[in-house]
Amino acid sequence: MADTIQIVSWALQQSCKLRTGAAAANPKAALNATCDARVYSDAFRRPPGERSVYGNVCVTGYGLAETAKEKPVAYPWSGLVVPEVFREIGGAEGLFAMCANCPANVIPARVANCTGTIYVSPDSEELDKRLQRLIVYRGVRREFSEVFAKTTPVWFGLWTASPLSAEAIRILRILFSALSEGDGGKGEASHDFKNFLGALEIAEQRSIPLHVSLAPPGHTDFGIYTVFPHCPFCKAGADVERWKGAYPAELYTCEVCGTRYSPVETATREKFDIGLRELREVMGQAEFEALAVEYLVDRGASRAEAKRIVHDEEAAERAKKEEWKKSELLAGLRRKFLKEVIQKGLVNRCKSGNEYDHPEFDARDFAEVLARCARTGAGISSMWRFCEGTLDKSVDKPADPAEVLKEWDEPGCLFGAVFETPEEVLMAYAAAGGG
């Protein structure tokens, strides 16, 4: 994964069967509430060879079939069962009918275009120069300075107030019209810009509030969304070193807008769930395999080849799940074995919170740990020494851990290890009632 793009989210204020509660106005909530609808709508515009709607099922994500003979091919993984997802709206027909009659839908022929995003880098020098030129050439410099916050780059100042005022909407419509259509051959023909321009026009013509939000700088990885220190006003990132356990608490001056704030107060970490539905579980195995065959045929495979790939891929998937199940069982046994056999009754002095996987002991307790490992058949993958809070010695695959401990033993030092417990040791432990 990687650092997230500081996208702009927008939403025309609207309440419907998709957008309830906070989603009626909050751009992020609106995007989340309409995500499935927009994915399903986009699926209908896929060109031949990229079909993703099969009866009542819409494929939303795919992996790679490693069992294909020549090279990996796209293989369906996640998706929507349309009648279930849109049951409260009346299925697909109800969804399209609702959005076709919605005054906030920017493109009536599509679904849920009452909200959207703009994917551009707010730090883009080219975009900043273009905006500065347009502000002057389009004759809105005075009004712009009165309506929008002064920021450098200009982009950050466009999104600090929400919903947009009538004057802000008018000025942005002028600017985004030029950005979308081109200005002296230097405009940016952007799908995102054109959609937002449509939202601006609806907001102006129908007096519908238009809410906007610029995302803070962040990073997503392994189901964790990390937000870096940033200005709470303009959302520009703070110029501080990232990935630190603690950020500065003292006041910092934003280099983009001049706001004073404490970086530590705007940095967060939280788990997130992208909510993908695995089609094998949603549809059932037989129905999924039939869909997978059609999916592969649409992408150029012969029917016979598609059936072979599905057969081989599903067999590999079953074997993989059995291996995962076994790995989870062994991981649980290993953790319990370390807790109840190797470390029981000893004082673990590890301060990192990982008290069973990477424990640390004084020399006396660590000698007992090594003795228990020798008696039970557990191994030591690596061991280390901390003296005065500093890691000063380590060794991988020690031939004689007890002898290494004797050589390293000094007053005040702590000793740690990574254990390598063979499967047969764990299974014997489980058979004896330890599991």
Side-chain angles (χ1 to χ4, degrees), residues 107-181:
I107 306 175
R110 298 183 185 178
V111 165
N113 270 254
C114 52
T115 183
T117 55
I118 306 173
Y119 277 80
V120 299
S121 170
D123 296 304
S124 167
E125 292 184 9
E126 180 184 356
L127 177 62
D128 191 53
K129 290 178 181 178
R130 186 177 303 162
L131 283 170
Q132 291 188 46
R133 286 196 300 267
L134 288 173
I135 290 167
V136 174
Y137 296 160
R138 298 291 171 161
V140 294
R141 180 165 55 180
R142 180 182 58 80
E143 298 96 321
F144 186 92
S145 64
E146 293 174 352
V147 171
F148 295 100
K150 180 176 176 53
T151 62
T152 306
V154 172
W155 186 262
F156 287 95
L158 303 181
W159 321 108
T160 58
S162 180
L164 296 170
S165 67
E167 185 64 2
I169 290 172
R170 186 186 73 81
I171 295 171
L172 288 178
R173 185 175 55 78
I174 293 171
L175 298 179
F176 274 83
S177 178
L179 289 172
S180 299
E181 299 172 5

Side-chain angles (χ1 to χ4, degrees), residues 160-433:
T160 58
S162 180
L164 296 170
S165 67
E167 185 64 2
I169 290 172
R170 186 186 73 81
I171 295 171
L172 288 178
R173 185 175 55 78
I174 293 171
L175 298 179
F176 274 83
S177 178
L179 289 172
S180 299
E181 299 172 5
D183 184 71
K186 298 179 180 179
E188 182 169 338
S190 164
H191 173 75
D192 291 348
F193 286 173
K194 289 179 179 178
N195 271 359
F196 183 61
L197 177 60
L200 290 166
E201 292 172 347
I202 287 178
E204 189 173 48
Q205 295 167 6
R206 301 176 182 174
S207 299
I208 298 177
L210 178 54
H211 301 264
V212 295
S213 174
L214 176 63
H219 182 94
T220 57
D221 213 352
F222 299 109
I224 300 293
Y225 175 39
T226 300
V227 175
F228 299 127
H230 63 278
C231 176
F233 179 67
C234 74
K235 302 300 190 296
D239 187 16
V240 297
E241 189 174 357
R242 294 176 175 178
W243 303 111
K244 289 293 184 180
Y247 290 107
E250 59 269 18
L251 290 180
Y252 170 93
T253 301
C254 177
E255 297 178 354
V256 171
C257 70
T259 298
R260 297 273 289 168
Y261 68 96
S262 173
V264 71
E265 294 179 358
T266 59
T268 60
R269 294 185 79 232
E270 61 183 28
K271 293 183 179 180
F272 73 94
D273 180 8
I274 57 178
L276 294 178
R277 306 170 181 87
E278 187 174 352
L279 278 172
R280 289 184 184 89
E281 298 177 1
V282 171
M283 300 180 64
Q285 190 64 33
E287 290 80 3
F288 170 73
E289 291 185 13
L291 178 145
V293 169
E294 298 305 318
Y295 188 89
L296 292 168
V297 168
D298 279 346
R299 282 149 183 78
S302 68
R303 189 162 293 276
E305 176 68 4
K307 288 182 178 180
R308 185 198 64 76
I309 292 174
V310 171
H311 175 274
D312 293 350
E313 195 67 17
E314 293 309 301
E317 183 67 18
R318 287 191 294 271
K320 187 187 300 181
K321 287 184 175 178
E322 284 299 316
E323 186 63 30
W324 285 343
K325 185 178 179 180
K326 180 180 178 181
S327 295
E328 290 178 358
L329 171 64
L330 291 176
L333 279 173
R334 183 171 291 108
R335 195 171 186 84
K336 190 171 184 181
F337 178 80
L338 292 176
K339 178 181 178 182
E340 298 296 335
V341 177
I342 301 300
Q343 302 172 36
K344 187 174 183 179
L346 304 179
V347 180
N348 188 340
R349 302 177 189 276
C350 176
K351 296 181 180 179
S352 68
N354 202 353
E355 58 183 66
Y356 297 124
D357 294 334
H358 299 92
E360 292 167 9
F361 305 92
D362 62 21
R364 185 184 66 178
D365 281 355
F366 195 64
E368 176 59 24
V369 165
L370 297 181
R372 293 177 183 182
C373 286
R375 288 197 300 270
T376 60
I380 299 292
S381 175
S382 63
M383 55 186 291
W384 58 85
R385 184 180 82 169
F386 270 94
C387 281
E388 297 181 355
T390 301
L391 177 66
D392 67 341
K393 290 184 180 295
S394 64
V395 62
D396 290 330
K397 303 288 185 181
D400 189 340
E403 190 62 31
V404 174
L405 175 61
K406 290 179 182 179
E407 294 176 6
W408 287 1
D409 188 11
E410 291 183 17
C413 292
L414 295 178
F415 304 88
V418 173
F419 299 97
E420 196 172 63
T421 313
E423 181 179 333
E424 56 269 23
V425 172
L426 296 175
M427 299 311 294
Y429 168 66

